[in-house]
Amino acid sequence: MAASQRVLILTGGPGCGKTFTTRTIVALWRAMGKAIALASPTGRAAQRLSEMTGQPAKTIHRLLEFDPKTMKFKRDQEYPIPAQAIVVDEASMLDLFLANSLFKAVPLDAQLLLVGDIDQLPSVGPGAVLQDLIASEKIPVVRLTQVFRQAQTSQIVSNAHRINQGQFPRLEPVSDTPASDCLWLGAPEPPDGIQAIRDLINDLIPQLGFEVAREVQVLCPMTRGEIGTRNLNGVLQALINPPSAAKAQIERGGMVLRVGDRIIQKVNDYDREVFNGDLGVIATVDPEEQEVSVQFADKLVSYDYADLNEITLAWAVTIHKSQGSEYSVVILPLYMQHYLMLSRNLIYTGLTRAKKLAILVGPQKAIALAVRQVKDQQRYTLLEKRLNLL
């Protein structure tokens, strides 16, 4: 189908071979002599797409050449993307506005492959593009369903599929010699959870051979609350990157930013070419120049002190902000104080961010509520209806 169809959707859960299939399709297109463009909604996802295919990948904003002066994309029907085959990964994150700009800029003779998992959280912006495209039955869809043998040995993968089917995950209690890659620490109340996370970061995780500062990510349902990202970032900063005379720091709006801190970009900054959700590490704090420089994946970016409201600490981030990213170790605190946010696709998305180890922290009651609650994701869109009129 990839050799012949103009548009193709590839979907499926973890361990079903989306990555392998995408890589194979890109290799096929390359063998056919096509000029290929690879893109994803976030910088982190684009980086992963590039590693997976061995070809450069860009964010969709970069592919469409956003112009900060006009606040518009340069690429459109008149000036399309210079490619004969285009892959867009993490397509579940596409909202209506970005999808509209993207599809307009696809050349009329090009092929488009959309890859995504519709069971993840919906796009932050309006619309349900991938869902609507699939539901319209106007576009060829390949849905991968078989979990392959090497993925079946992973409890992260098998629990993700259990959660998707509304079943409680099989969790192994935390111990010094875990046999599973999906663990649970019962800590009944939020203060116990904070202490449990401290213990995991100080003892178990380094003991298992992981580098905490580089490989561990705490993902929370919310920013607010005792065990939300705001409070946890202070706790984790003190543990992972404590103050020292050798590390310059600055205090801004009640938050300390220190050399070595992991940060996240909160807004799209088209001048600096960093986008909402991009993760970086603070490289320097210069009090004389009043500047902070941040090392993002492929570049060093400078911020004036006045612009520091664009970034915040990212030792803990929300599950929504983590979409399109993967981390070696994910710690997932789930408590009843987050009950408004707890849902099946939230816990599914959080769990599937983990590559090697996932640790759920909190009472079984909160985990069970998250698995049970299928938040009504009905979004009032007309895309499916419009496609059916064609």
Side-chain angles (χ1 to χ4, degrees):
M1 286 175 95
S4 60
Q5 295 293 334
R6 291 287 316 287
V7 183
L8 176 64
I9 293 172
L10 177 66
T11 187
C16 293
K18 283 200 305 297
T19 299
F20 179 82
T21 309
T22 304
R23 194 188 301 135
T24 308
I25 290 171
V26 169
L28 167 74
W29 281 344
R30 206 182 284 140
M32 291 167 76
K34 290 180 178 287
I36 302 165
L38 307 176
S40 200
T42 68
R44 287 295 290 262
Q47 200 181 328
R48 258 185 46 223
L49 182 58
S50 181
E51 287 161 8
M52 159 177 123
T53 57
Q55 274 211 191
K58 299 177 176 176
T59 60
I60 294 171
H61 283 82
R62 280 206 184 124
L63 181 71
L64 297 178
E65 295 176 26
F66 188 86
D67 182 357
K69 292 188 187 75
T70 60
M71 294 302 280
K72 287 183 180 151
F73 294 112
K74 289 179 185 171
R75 297 284 172 186
D76 57 15
Q77 297 102 310
E78 274 71 56
Y79 183 54
I81 298 161
Q84 296 157 302
I86 300 164
V87 179
V88 176
D89 195 18
E90 297 290 350
S92 60
M93 297 174 73
L94 283 175
D95 64 22
L96 272 175
F97 300 116
L98 193 55
N100 182 34
S101 299
L102 172 71
F103 297 155
K104 276 182 187 165
V106 173
L108 290 175
D109 58 351
Q111 290 177 275
L112 176 65
L113 172 67
L114 298 171
V115 185
D117 180 351
I118 54 166
D119 294 313
Q120 286 189 29
L121 290 164
S123 59
V124 176
V129 176
L130 189 64
Q131 244 170 335
D132 283 355
L133 291 176
I134 291 171
S136 74
E137 297 182 355
K138 293 281 184 183
I139 292 164
V141 176
V142 174
R143 192 186 294 269
L144 304 177
T145 55
Q146 183 190 338
V147 180
F148 286 94
R149 238 194 334 273
Q150 59 268 42
Q152 283 170 0
T153 60
S154 163
Q155 284 299 309
I156 293 170
V157 171
S158 55
N159 279 330
H161 288 278
R162 285 179 68 81
I163 286 165
N164 228 350
Q165 288 150 17
Q167 298 167 355
F168 194 85
R170 291 197 179 102
L171 302 169
E172 182 190 310
V174 164
S175 67
D176 287 346
T177 53
S180 168
D181 61 357
C182 196
L183 307 177
W184 170 63
L185 214 166
E189 297 297 329
D192 310 319
I194 292 169
Q195 188 54 48
I197 291 169
R198 277 198 187 101
D199 294 343
L200 289 169
I201 278 168
N202 282 332
D203 304 324
L204 181 68
I205 290 169
Q207 194 182 303
L208 294 174
F210 294 105
E211 196 187 320
V212 171
R214 206 171 45 84
E215 296 186 284
V216 178
Q217 184 64 60
V218 177
L219 299 180
C220 305
M222 291 173 81
T223 53
R224 290 195 302 275
E226 199 173 352
I227 201 149
T229 58
R230 266 188 221 137
N231 189 43
L232 277 178
N233 266 315
V235 171
L236 294 165
Q237 183 188 43
L239 272 183
I240 303 167
N241 191 32
S244 91
K247 291 179 196 164
Q249 63 179 50
I250 175 179
E251 189 170 341
R252 265 287 182 278
M255 173 178 64
V256 173
L257 294 171
R258 184 176 296 135
V259 169
D261 274 334
R262 186 186 302 159
I263 61 93
I264 190 166
Q265 176 76 14
K266 294 195 291 184
V267 293
N268 289 338
D269 185 329
Y270 299 104
D271 294 319
R272 290 187 177 90
E273 284 204 328
V274 281
F275 301 103
N276 188 356
D278 284 357
L279 286 174
V281 175
I282 295 179
T284 62
V285 174
D286 187 336
E288 284 178 17
E289 293 294 324
Q290 300 236 315
E291 270 185 358
V292 171
S293 65
V294 176
Q295 183 66 54
F296 289 95
D298 52 353
K299 60 176 185 217
L300 193 67
V301 176
S302 286
Y303 294 83
D304 299 327
Y305 279 7
D307 295 332
L308 289 179
N309 58 342
E310 286 193 9
I311 61 174
T312 191
L313 288 172
W315 298 114
V317 298
T318 61
I319 295 169
H320 279 85
K321 289 270 190 196
S322 74
Q323 271 188 282
S325 298
E326 275 187 344
Y327 314 95
S328 295
V329 181
V330 164
I331 299 174
L332 211 54
L334 296 167
Y335 282 85
M336 293 307 287
Q337 66 172 227
H338 299 146
Y339 76 95
L340 279 175
M341 293 297 293
L342 295 179
S343 69
R344 188 177 298 171
N345 58 6
L346 186 92
I347 186 175
Y348 172 85
T349 302
L351 185 65
T352 53
R353 300 309 91 209
K355 278 194 291 190
K356 295 178 182 171
L357 178 65
I359 307 174
L360 278 68
V361 176
Q364 287 197 353
K365 183 182 178 186
I367 298 168
L369 177 69
V371 172
R372 212 169 46 241
Q373 282 207 101
V374 182
K375 295 274 186 195
D376 186 9
Q377 292 303 337
Q378 176 62 41
R379 291 188 171 194
Y380 295 97
T381 69
L382 286 173
L383 182 58
E384 183 193 339
K385 291 186 179 68
R386 285 180 171 188
L387 286 166
N388 280 318
L389 292 174
L390 295 176

